[in-house]
Amino acid sequence: MHSPSFQIALRFLLAHKRSLGLSALGVIFGVGSFIAALAQTQGFETFYINTVLGSEGSVVITDRFQEEHTKILDVGADKTLMIASEQKRKFYPGISDAYRMIRVLSNYSDVVACSPITEGRAFLRSGFSTEAVSLQGIDLDLHLRTTDFGKQVSKGSMNDFRDNPNGACVGASLAERMHLVAGQDIYIIGPGNDSRRFRIDVIYETGVWDFDIKNVFVHMRTAQSLLQEPYFTSFMLVKLRDPSRAPEMAAEFEDLLFHSSSSWQRRQAGNLAIFDALRISAGIVVSMIILLSGFGIFNVLSLSVMQRTKEIAILRSMGYQRSDIAAIFLWQGACVAVVGIFFGWGLGALLTYVISIIPVNFRGILRTDYFIVEWSVTHYILAAVLAVVAVFIASYVPARRASALEPIETLRGTGQ
């Protein structure tokens, strides 16, 4: 860089190495902390979203409905009189022909797979312990293609479950509460007090406590028999190639199939809002470090302007324009910003890695043994933008003040 303003800025900068160094250190810690905070909060959010998509699909299709609009008579060749009740839709529980619906949905290029599920309330009994559970009957092959169920096996074997008509898959949270192990016999009691013996072939763990504590999976025909609902399907999961399109696809499925359809964004709106609030809150708190560093830069550069009024006047008398003088102090801020961002990125990466290996034992809404982080270039870009804005604002006022100094009055000793 051969700009005279830049070279002068470096000389002024080296004259305040300690003060500007401390300010740069504040920017470094601010940028690093900002990156680590976003990586942690968004890591948990991404983990939760991936778990939801891997367990509940992108879209859930449930009850059939009938529009409550009826033609009662024709009043003309091109007119129709309609009447509607206060209730716009009449709902009928479940899906009557799930496999026909699957054939229809398979024509969509965005649909990867569908999994029909029969659901009902039941009780799981083991020894002297009994828990209310949600019994889920699945078509295993379809369910494995639609969800991440095959990757969620913690103990046991999915092949054992496939070959055992009376096999059961129990969540890790429920197994922990009831002290269940793979290979153990349990009893499931249906709504008609019909008790049947099952063997635990799989203990699965999704990472979401609420899901793992209540859902017990068995084969569909077995569930339909136990729940006394032959050929009945409660709902169906749909996996999409692009989960972000779930809302528009759900609306299209409703119009086509006349069944209620709900996207994962709609079902998880409350939890997603919590994650958004946490991420924004963490970002605001940590960004205060960068803003405080900006105040430090402002003070140092303001002091530099006061101390170098004669040098500035001499430069102006030599032909330097106001913009050249302002550039000197803006260059100083730019140097601090570049150093702060560069080393802040390194600190952010280091903090993110350290956080990711810290052992924890979370057993709340999520189950995890380590902090979950997300590595994203966006976090580094946002931190850099915030640092540049803070430093620019801190440098602009002193730069403007320096450019406003009148050389003649300063050299005469009357300039302020």
Side-chain angles (χ1 to χ4, degrees), residues 44 47 154 176 205 207 355-363 366-372:
F44 278 101
F47 174 76
S154 175
E176 184 179 324
E205 183 173 6
I355 291 173
S356 69
I357 61 175
I358 296 177
V360 294
N361 186 30
F362 289 153
R363 293 298 183 267
L366 298 176
R367 291 174 59 97
T368 179
D369 297 321
Y370 293 93
F371 276 100
I372 303 168

Side-chain angles (χ1 to χ4, degrees), residues 101-114:
M101 188 179 294
I102 292 174
R103 288 194 296 271
V104 173
L105 294 178
S106 63
N107 294 322
Y108 283 85
S109 59
D110 289 329
V111 175
V112 178
C114 303

